[in-house]
Amino acid sequence: MRWKRKIHHGGPSKQQQVSPLADEVCAIDKEVSHLCRIKSEPSQRTRASIYAGQKRPVSTFKLLSGRESNCSGMGRFSSADCSYALRKHLPVKGPWCVDDMDSEAYISQFSADGSLLIGGFRGSHIRVYNSEKNWKVHKDITCKRLRWTISDIALSPDQQFLAYSSLSPTVHIVNVQNAVRESHANITADVNVVTFADETNDILYSGSDDSLCKVWDRRCHKKQKPVGVLTGHLDGITFIDSRGDGHYFISNCKDQTIKLWDLRKMSSTTKERTMLHCIVRRIKTVLQHACPMGKGNIFRLTSNAYKSCTPKAYEWDYRWMTYPSEARYLKHPYDQSLATFRGHSVLRTLIRCYFSPMHSTGQRYIYTGSSDQCVYIYDVATGKVVEKLRWHGSIIRDCSWHPYLPTLVSSSWDGYLVRWEATEDDRDPSMLRTGKQRMHPEGYTMSFVL
């Protein structure tokens, strides 16, 4: 089934309804806002040489002229100057087709140097594309012992090996330079995501359905307990991405929010249980007041919620239900996050979110897929949606921003891998037009999704 949708090349999204928390996204921690600005705006030395220290927007022409005349005395752009110039050209034009498969696309990830793109599909396929050779397929891998879909992939830094998982207790490793495969047993728990804090590989963050972000230290492995927790989410965590500096990270959640965290604000596990007992009591009171029991209330707390100290509404299931409108207005009474980003939706699958690249944007943005078929780009310094990319006809589970170029690739359940660029060429025959979208490669409708 084909259907028409108007292509939208970005721009601030309009809120469909006024929320009591409408101003929450603007309450960005001052330290984080300052950190984002100094990494993505002209350096004081450059600004002073052009506008004598005045707080005015610096045009790209002024920036280039100042560099050519060496006004700053450095003879080159600083990394912040580069980020400022490049982040004005966000990848919001297009899209162009990278691949079109007959099964849902779950994964799209660039390699560390951006030369390769890895796509993972439900139909037992992993494809490696060469982004430097017109997106040609470098390697086509048929997955073995697949359980439903490719759930995650990781490419080694030397681009020699690729590991993938598929909702099973086994991790498979493939040599992308030849056909050698091997599998390794993996000890699993009810954890949705885990990632390293920085290049030291000592600190890890994890997120699971208990709504907590947990911090682990590999040097304390004998304790087999997290060294700290961060509370603020009200439902299961679907993804975590680290800023790479050992302090800040973001998490995507089934409560329809992305939260920004500071590792240094974590609580000890000793305080966790007492704190969450209070949270459960307060949230239960709020929910009963919003929708009294016996009147279609879907927010009743199970006994398991008390046992696990997790404020979970048992009849809400993100895999097939829409998110309850009343729950959108709830806020964790002990929220330890620095900022909350709202607008996208997280339904039916573990949707991912990321910081934008350091080289081209100074990590000024957060971007995420969404079950409403859009890619959202948030400004970390202001908390606002700066771009919203529409073209896909189904859920966008993953997206990846090229580490150096203004290119973003999104993967959707409509079977498409598409790329978005900073410039647009209407003569390019591979550019996707209105009417090319489809709801689902197997024809399922999306009427029960937001």
Side-chain angles (χ1 to χ4, degrees):
M1 180 183 294
R2 296 187 180 275
W3 60 308
K4 292 185 178 181
R5 174 185 292 273
K6 182 183 290 185
I7 296 180
H8 177 64
H9 292 317
S13 66
K14 296 182 180 179
Q15 296 293 336
Q16 296 181 350
Q17 55 182 335
V18 178
S19 163
L21 299 177
D23 295 330
E24 178 189 5
V25 293
C26 295
I28 307 295
D29 182 86
K30 291 183 179 179
E31 181 180 347
V32 174
S33 180
H34 176 69
L35 181 64
C36 290
R37 294 179 189 280
I38 63 175
K39 294 286 186 179
S40 60
E41 294 186 356
S43 62
Q44 292 184 355
R45 190 170 183 176
T46 299
R47 189 181 291 277
S49 65
I50 297 176
Y51 286 130
Q54 298 179 36
K55 292 185 177 180
R56 297 170 54 188
V58 180
S59 67
T60 304
F61 175 78
K62 286 283 188 181
L63 206 60
L64 291 171
S65 299
R67 185 191 65 177
E68 293 303 313
S69 58
N70 195 22
C71 291
S72 65
M74 294 186 295
R76 58 179 177 80
F77 280 158
S78 67
S79 60
D81 296 336
C82 290
S83 296
Y84 179 76
L86 290 172
R87 74 178 179 85
K88 291 183 176 182
H89 306 282
L90 298 182
V92 298
K93 305 295 184 181
W96 287 264
C97 183
V98 174
D99 208 344
D100 177 8
M101 299 286 281
D102 58 359
S103 61
E104 299 97 319
Y106 271 75
I107 304 289
S108 54
Q109 287 295 298
F110 279 108
S111 60
D113 64 358
S115 63
L116 299 178
L117 173 74
I118 302 97
F121 302 85
R122 188 172 70 83
S124 304
H125 271 290
I126 293 177
R127 283 187 168 179
V128 182
Y129 309 88
N130 192 324
S131 64
E132 298 176 345
K133 294 184 178 180
N134 201 28
W135 305 94
K136 292 183 178 180
V137 177
H138 171 74
K139 185 83 171 180
D140 195 336
I141 302 168
T142 301
C143 303
K144 293 184 176 180
R145 293 183 292 277
L146 186 70
R147 184 176 178 183
W148 180 249
T149 184
I150 304 297
S151 59
D152 200 8
I153 54 177
L155 187 66
S156 62
D158 61 2
Q159 301 182 172
Q160 182 78 15
F161 298 97
L162 184 146
Y164 69 89
S165 59
S166 63
L167 305 178
S168 70
T170 304
V171 172
H172 304 273
I173 299 178
V174 179
N175 189 326
V176 296
Q177 304 304 327
N178 56 49
V180 177
R181 282 188 179 85
E182 52 183 303
S183 301
H184 296 276
N186 181 32
I187 300 175
T188 59
D190 189 21
V191 177
N192 294 332
V193 60
V194 61
T195 188
F196 287 100
D198 53 28
E199 294 181 353
T200 64
N201 297 330
D202 290 327
I203 304 298
L204 298 95
Y205 308 129
S206 70
S208 62
D209 284 337
D210 63 4
S211 77
L212 298 174
C213 292
K214 297 182 179 179
V215 182
W216 307 82
D217 192 331
R218 294 174 62 245
R219 295 164 293 188
C220 304
H221 62 280
K222 292 184 179 179
K223 294 182 179 180
Q224 296 184 344
K225 291 183 179 180
V227 294
V229 296
L230 288 153
T231 58
H233 279 304
L234 298 174
D235 214 311
I237 295 167
T238 66
F239 198 73
I240 288 177
D241 185 44
S242 173
R243 197 170 185 272
D245 55 8
H247 296 309
Y248 300 105
F249 67 97
I250 54 174
S251 58
N252 213 356
C253 183
K254 299 171 189 175
D255 64 10
Q256 315 302 298
T257 68
I258 293 174
K259 285 187 177 289
L260 174 65
W261 308 90
D262 186 345
L263 170 67
R264 295 164 292 187
K265 293 183 179 292
M266 67 181 181
S267 301
S268 65
T269 53
T270 307
K271 297 169 60 178
E272 172 190 342
R273 188 163 295 273
T274 302
M275 180 188 298
L276 285 176
H277 271 303
C278 297
I279 295 168
V280 170
R281 287 197 297 270
R282 289 191 62 177
I283 289 182
K284 182 180 180 183
T285 301
V286 172
L287 293 177
Q288 288 178 340
H289 177 74
C291 190
M293 203 72 66
K295 295 184 179 180
N297 181 23
I298 63 171
F299 300 113
R300 288 173 292 163
L301 298 175
T302 63
S303 58
N304 290 333
Y306 288 99
K307 292 178 182 178
S308 64
C309 301
T310 304
K312 178 69 175 178
Y314 79 97
E315 290 188 42
W316 144 248
D317 192 326
Y318 90 113
R319 292 173 296 178
W320 60 276
M321 295 175 68
T322 57
Y323 194 69
S325 58
E326 294 88 346
R328 292 181 183 275
Y329 307 145
L330 294 177
K331 185 176 180 181
H332 200 297
Y334 296 98
D335 191 349
Q336 295 173 290
S337 65
L338 302 179
T340 302
F341 303 86
R342 300 178 186 272
H344 67 294
S345 59
V346 182
L347 297 172
R348 297 196 65 195
T349 186
L350 304 178
I351 292 175
R352 301 172 165 215
C353 64
Y354 305 92
F355 285 102
S356 61
M358 175 62 77
H359 173 80
S360 58
T361 68
Q363 295 182 311
R364 177 65 178 260
Y365 306 105
I366 290 170
Y367 64 103
T368 179
S370 178
S371 60
D372 66 1
Q373 308 159 17
C374 300
V375 175
Y376 285 76
I377 302 177
Y378 297 93
D379 189 324
V380 179
T382 65
K384 297 180 179 179
V385 177
V386 294
E387 296 290 351
K388 186 176 177 181
L389 313 183
R390 293 190 182 103
W391 182 84
H392 283 290
S394 189
I395 295 170
I396 301 175
R397 183 181 187 265
D398 201 8
C399 43
S400 185
W401 199 317
H402 193 285
Y404 301 106
L405 302 178
T407 300
L408 187 148
V409 172
S410 55
S411 50
S412 170
W413 280 15
D414 60 12
Y416 278 105
L417 250 66
V418 304
R419 59 185 173 89
W420 306 81
E421 304 285 354
T423 58
E424 183 174 2
D425 183 1
D426 292 332
R427 296 171 297 177
D428 190 340
S430 65
M431 182 177 174
L432 296 169
R433 306 292 180 178
T434 303
K436 289 290 186 179
Q437 306 95 325
R438 59 187 172 214
M439 292 185 180
H440 193 284
E442 296 180 4
Y444 299 128
T445 62
M446 303 296 295
S447 58
F448 50 86
V449 178
L450 284 181

